[in-house]
Amino acid sequence: MLFKALPRISHSFHALVSRVPSQCDVCHAWPAQRVCNACVARFAQPATRCERCALRVPAGVAVCGACLRNPPALDACLAAVDYAYPWADALAQFKFRGDPGWTDTLATLLRCTPWVEPALEAADIVLPVPLSNERLRARGFNQSALLAQRLSASKTHTRILLRLHATEAQSALPRAQRLRNLRGAFAVEPLHAAALHGQRVVLVDDVMTTGATLEAAALPLRQAGVAHITAILLARTGLD
């Protein structure tokens, strides 16, 4: 019984710690939350982004040339910030150094991003991009699932979109190779497939580089008859 209670105790502890004022992780102002308001205002200014892939585009441009030539499986894509200082460091702490105490700060950053709140309101279902079992065991948590739960606990489902197998590290690979690696990596849980027909889905992920992961995750949702897919992500790199 004690071991079964540990995840709940750990989750409550991190939720409590994330609300305790401390130094800002960026400018070290005291007292502050993980990132103070001044640093958010400085480093999280809204940007003009492609509506389909969230790449930065010039003012007045709605969809980038790449998405016009090859429309993605996503109907919309919203990113809070660029994958750059200080958010790249924050995400490294969150994901790779086992610090889920970042969840509340990063979820708030996402929720304050233009058009994210309406997308969540319009969604029937919110799905975090799943990790492989191997990576989940190694990391101890799925960062996308933590964010999705903070954004919309009542709509978030973690057992509808499944990751069938792990893939090799993607960071140094071009988009075409990433897509090949991810082919067949995701599936819809068969018992839930019929219920997805005609639904509006929000996919939540942390970082988008080439879009290969989100594209691979969106394809089985399309095959299940999902009517509209919006991706919501914390950070977008400058690569297409």
Side-chain angles (χ1 to χ4, degrees):
M1 294 295 292
L2 175 61
F3 288 104
K4 291 183 178 179
L6 282 177
R8 183 178 300 174
I9 294 170
S10 177
H11 175 79
S12 300
F13 173 76
H14 284 297
L16 175 63
V17 168
S18 67
R19 291 194 291 268
V20 176
S22 60
Q23 283 183 302
C24 170
D25 201 75
V26 181
C27 72
H28 308 297
W30 176 275
Q33 299 297 332
R34 268 288 173 85
V35 181
C36 71
N37 291 337
C39 285
V40 170
R42 180 180 178 185
F43 295 110
Q45 287 294 317
T48 304
R49 298 183 182 275
C50 171
E51 295 174 357
R52 302 294 295 274
C53 74
L55 270 179
R56 280 183 178 254
V57 291
V61 174
V63 179
C64 72
C67 289
L68 287 173
R69 290 190 299 271
N70 298 294
L74 303 172
D75 295 290
C77 189
L78 305 170
V81 294
D82 291 326
Y83 188 68
Y85 178 84
W87 310 113
D89 294 343
L91 282 164
Q93 292 179 41
F94 184 34
K95 291 172 61 174
F96 304 123
R97 297 172 200 158
D99 189 355
W102 275 99
T103 304
D104 283 345
T105 296
L106 297 177
T108 300
L109 180 67
L110 259 178
R111 186 175 284 282
C112 293
T113 300
W115 305 111
V116 164
E117 191 73 35
L120 292 168
E121 290 291 330
D124 299 298
I125 300 170
V126 176
L127 301 177
V129 173
L131 296 177
S132 67
N133 289 334
E134 295 88 342
R135 192 157 296 170
L136 184 60
R137 283 194 295 269
R139 189 168 297 166
F141 60 91
N142 178 352
Q143 69 282 354
S144 298
L146 293 182
L147 291 171
Q149 289 283 352
R150 290 293 195 282
L151 290 171
S152 183
S154 63
K155 293 181 179 181
T156 295
H157 298 268
T158 58
R159 297 184 180 179
I160 291 179
L161 184 62
L162 308 176
R163 187 143 192 169
L164 302 182
H165 58 79
T167 54
E168 64 179 280
Q170 302 268 83
S171 56
L173 301 177
R175 187 172 190 272
Q177 182 61 49
R178 290 183 183 218
L179 286 170
R180 283 193 291 272
N181 287 349
L182 288 161
R183 190 173 296 137
F186 298 97
V188 170
E189 210 291 328
L191 294 177
H192 296 288
L196 288 174
H197 187 79
Q199 299 292 287
R200 296 179 67 91
V201 169
V202 161
L203 274 174
V204 177
D205 206 1
D206 56 346
V207 180
M208 179 178 177
T209 301
T210 66
T213 298
L214 286 165
E215 186 79 6
L219 288 176
L221 297 175
R222 289 297 190 198
Q223 292 165 0
V226 168
H228 190 280
I229 303 173
T230 297
I232 292 176
L233 49 132
L234 274 168
R236 181 63 157 104
T237 72
L239 300 176
D240 58 13

